Amino acid sequence: AIPGVPLLANLTEFGSTPLWKLDELANVGVSLVLYPLSAFRAQSKAAEVVFQGILADGTNKEVEKTMHHRMQTYEAIDY
């Protein structure tokens, strides 16, 4: 590390390196942490579940319970 320069950790799932906790990273001088694919991977899994439900049932009615309703979405994005 270079003194005075923030140290960044770029974390991604399913790699060969163990995933450290934020406090562990802070203890070794990491001040910035990126999780570049975590939300995308969760979104793609959720989309798969929705599309499987639509294919199975011919409607999205049963998978609605897995979704935010409009106001929950607005709250999540501070709209």
Side-chain angles (χ1 to χ4, degrees):
I2 301 171
V5 176
L7 186 59
L8 173 117
N10 184 17
L11 303 181
T12 185
E13 300 82 3
F14 312 112
S16 58
T17 306
L19 294 175
W20 290 26
K21 294 183 177 183
L22 293 175
D23 60 341
E24 294 171 320
L25 292 164
N27 287 338
V28 295
V30 174
S31 57
L32 302 165
V33 182
L34 300 178
Y35 296 88
L37 294 174
S38 300
F40 172 76
R41 287 183 167 138
Q43 291 169 329
S44 65
K45 177 63 177 176
E48 180 182 19
V49 169
V50 168
F51 294 135
Q52 286 173 341
I54 292 169
L55 284 172
D57 301 331
T59 179
N60 62 347
K61 182 67 178 161
E62 287 302 310
V63 292
E64 277 186 349
K65 61 183 167 261
T66 69
M67 301 176 192
H68 275 168
H69 60 67
R70 183 177 309 193
M71 292 311 297
Q72 288 171 314
T73 299
Y74 289 169
E75 289 170 14
I77 64 172
D78 196 24
Y79 180 70

